[in-house]
């Protein structure tokens, strides 16, 4: 019992003596020892511009105000770290031996000034040419990573300048880091607020000393933001190279994107799932394999590569099932953007700046696609974007009930222009015209070609500037809104006109489609047509000329039909002036023939059809006058 009391007493006295020795050490001296130790390990200078005082509880060490940690030589004169207040914790045992082992650094309102150099090395990679004995193993270059058992930053601000890129700044960051074993794992937790809402990052970095020395280490990180969560498991180094599996899931991708400071369309306010095996290199190359994306009910699989240069370059091969992106276009399906309002085409400015965000080559195949304006069936597409010019190729595309081949072009290099060169086969005219132009009165299955070009900063301007050409042929079909047979009988509107065949060619000039050779074959008669279709003004001025052959007779009845007015409500009526003109011409010719015959009898001479009757009469009068004058003068 006496032995136990003596041992306890000795331990208490030892603690009292140790505490007394620590309390006798001035704060400035501990701070200086810590600063010297940091400079030995890192090559950086730790300076104290304010009051320095010793602390015993809760941290053994010092507190200092107005603290700065110098930057790498190549990173400029600005300190890498500035803090209103810095607490440095030290190990008591080493302190009693005149050495300082930093166990903790905590800072209030620190500012981190981070950057990378041309080789991709960050200024946070600490090192000196003469590492301290017993410290962590140095890298091959002799640089020695700093080991601090715990770091705690509260209310931090950050400025990050990657070499050759615009700096990124963030504020109100909280960071804690635990590194209990020199050769062990670091657990880090950070709270970022890029757009105000907190974004939590939890990470584990294996063999952290080797990681700081530039070696590849195992990495696991979880990012949790409002509405969604992402996870990375793989390997990385301090220069940013990484490979592993990246996954992301969100019940509301829009909410998550807003929290991360991203500008996303409202249509992304839906469930999103992403997964890929990723590899990222320090020179800005990203590859994604075994890629799977789910947005709402849309699923895509495939692979993609990206190079993050001044203008990113993207290459991807994607495959989808039944895709519906009508919400992204703000449309409601097949009746979407193709049909303009009755007042005309939209006149709002088109923002085509997205064409300049990146260059891309994307191959996409799918079972079906609803764009919000046009619905496609099983198709293969290729999209190429280069310097604000996009080319979409149909290889082919199932569209409007048939197939379309060719390409569409949008060019925003010097103002916006759109064009295309397409061939089509088996398309339904009511769908093609309805989904692209809001006109659904013509029905039938057609083949043909179309070439067009337009320019302007709005849909209205583009449609009014269109130029091009094309042709089409259609089998059985019908026009709605008028019945040619009824029009020819009674002059009424309404009903439908069924045809067996239709052919036409056309040119487009200044937003007007002009046609001179329309031929429509109908049961019992045929119709020709010519006129103008206003693609920009959305109006018509067209003349149908049907010819009806009466049964058992060779007589032909012709009553032209003129269609004028807006697409939505055209005026359709017989054109009697055109109908009477052939009859008037026929009566006039018959009268001329009778006069010619009578003159031939009276003048006793043959008058050819091509001779002018006035000239014949003039010549006969002159001849009679000449004969009478000769008789008067006694001539023969």
């Amino acid at each position: 019992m006496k032995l136990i009391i003596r041992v306890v007493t000795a331990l208490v006295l030892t603690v009292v003596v140790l505490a007394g020795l620590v309390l006798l050490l001035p704060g400035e001296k501990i701070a200086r020892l810590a600063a010297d130790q940091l400079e030995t390990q890192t090559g950086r200078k730790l300076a104290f511009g304010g009051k320095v005082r010793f602390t015993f509880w809760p941290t053994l060490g010092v507190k200092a105000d107005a603290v700065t940690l110098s930057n790498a030589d190549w990173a400029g004169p600005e300190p890498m770290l500035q803090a209103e207040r810095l607490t440095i914790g030290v190990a008591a045992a080493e302190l009693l031996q005149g050495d300082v082992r930093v166990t903790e650094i905590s800072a209030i309102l620190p500012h981190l000034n981070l950057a990378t150099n041309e080789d991709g090395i960050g200024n946070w990679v600490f090192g000196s040419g003469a590492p301290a004995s017993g410290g962590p193993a140095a890298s091959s270059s002799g640089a020695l990573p700093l080991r601090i058992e715990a770091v705690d930053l509260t209310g931090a601000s950050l400025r990050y300048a990657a070499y050759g890129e615009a700096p990124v700044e963030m504020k109100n960051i909280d960071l804690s880091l635990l590194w209990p074993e020199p050769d062990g794992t670091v657990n880090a937790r950070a709270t970022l607020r890029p757009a105000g809402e907190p974004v939590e990052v939890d990470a584990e970095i294996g063999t952290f000393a080797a990681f700081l020395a530039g070696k590849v280490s195992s990495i696991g990180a979880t990012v949790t933001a409002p509405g969604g969560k992402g996870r990375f498991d793989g390997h990385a180094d301090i220069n940013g190279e990484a490979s592993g599996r990246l996954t992301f899931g969100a019940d509301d991708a829009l909410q998550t994107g807003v929290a991360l400071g991203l500008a996303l369309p409202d249509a992304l306010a839906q469930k999103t799932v992403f997964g890929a095996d990723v590899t990222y290199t320090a020179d800005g190359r990203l590859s994604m394999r075994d890629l799977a994306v789910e947005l709402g009910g849309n699923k895509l699989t495939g692979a993609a590569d990206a190079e993050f240069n001044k203008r990113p370059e993207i290459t991807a091969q994607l495959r989808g099932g039944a895709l519906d992106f009508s919400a992204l276009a703000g449309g409601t399906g097949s009746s979407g953007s193709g049909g303009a309002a009755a007042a005309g085409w939209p006149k709002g400015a088109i923002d085509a700046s997205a064409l300049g965000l990146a260059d891309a080559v994307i191959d996409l195949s799918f079972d079906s696609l609803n764009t919000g304006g046009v619905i496609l069936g099983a198709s293969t597409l290729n999209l190429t974007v280069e310097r604000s010019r996009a080319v979409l190729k149909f290889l082919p595309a199932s569209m409007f009930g048939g197939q379309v081949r060719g390409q569409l072009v949008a060019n925003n290099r010097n103002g916006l222009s759109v064009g295309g060169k397409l061939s089509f086969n088996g398309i339904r005219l009511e769908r093609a015209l309805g989904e692209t132009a809001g006109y659904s009165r013509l029905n039938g299955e057609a083949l043909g070609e179309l070439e067009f070009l337009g320019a302007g900063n709005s849909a209205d301007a583009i449609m009014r500037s269109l130029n091009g050409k094309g042709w089409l042929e259609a089998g059985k079909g019908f026009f709605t809104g008028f019945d040619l047979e009824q029009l020819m009988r009674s002059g009424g509107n309404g009903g439908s006109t069924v045809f067996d065949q239709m052919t036409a060619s056309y040119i487009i000039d200044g937003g007007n489609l002009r046609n001179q050779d329309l031929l429509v074959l109908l049961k019992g008669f045929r119709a020709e047509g010519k006129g103008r279709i206003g693609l920009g003004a959305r109006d018509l001025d067209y003349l149908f000329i049907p010819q009806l052959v009466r049964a058992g007779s060779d007589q032909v009845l012709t009553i032209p039909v003129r269609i004028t007015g807006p697409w939505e409500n055209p005026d359709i009526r017989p054109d009697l002036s055109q109908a009477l003109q052939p009859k008037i011409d026929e009566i006039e010719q018959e009268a001329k023939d009778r006069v010619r015959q009578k003159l031939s009898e009276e003048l006793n001479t043959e008058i050819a059809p091509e001779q002018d009757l006035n000239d014949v009469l003039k010549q006969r009068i002159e001849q009679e006058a000449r004969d009478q004058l000769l008789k008067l003068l006694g001539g023969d």
Side-chain angles (χ1 to χ4, degrees), residues 483-500:
D483 184 341
L484 280 178
E485 291 188 79
Q486 181 181 355
L487 282 168
M488 296 178 71
R489 290 194 302 268
S490 62
N493 278 342
S496 299
T497 298
V498 179
F499 59 83
D500 295 323

Side-chain angles (χ1 to χ4, degrees), residues 64 101 190 266-267 283 301 318 369 420 432 462 490-491 512 523 541 612:
R101 178 167 63 88
D266 293 343
D283 59 354
T301 59
L318 302 174
L369 171 63
I462 291 173
S490 62
N512 291 298
K523 185 177 181 180
D541 185 2
D612 186 89

Side-chain angles (χ1 to χ4, degrees), residues 259-273:
L260 295 174
L262 303 176
L264 300 176
D266 293 343
L268 287 179
Q270 54 186 307
K271 181 180 179 180
T272 303
V273 178

Side-chain angles (χ1 to χ4, degrees), residues 464-469 507-514 535:
R464 291 180 183 273
S465 70
L466 284 177
N467 293 283
K469 61 182 180 179
I507 61 170
I508 306 172
D509 181 23
N512 291 298
L513 184 151
R514 301 183 186 277
L535 301 178

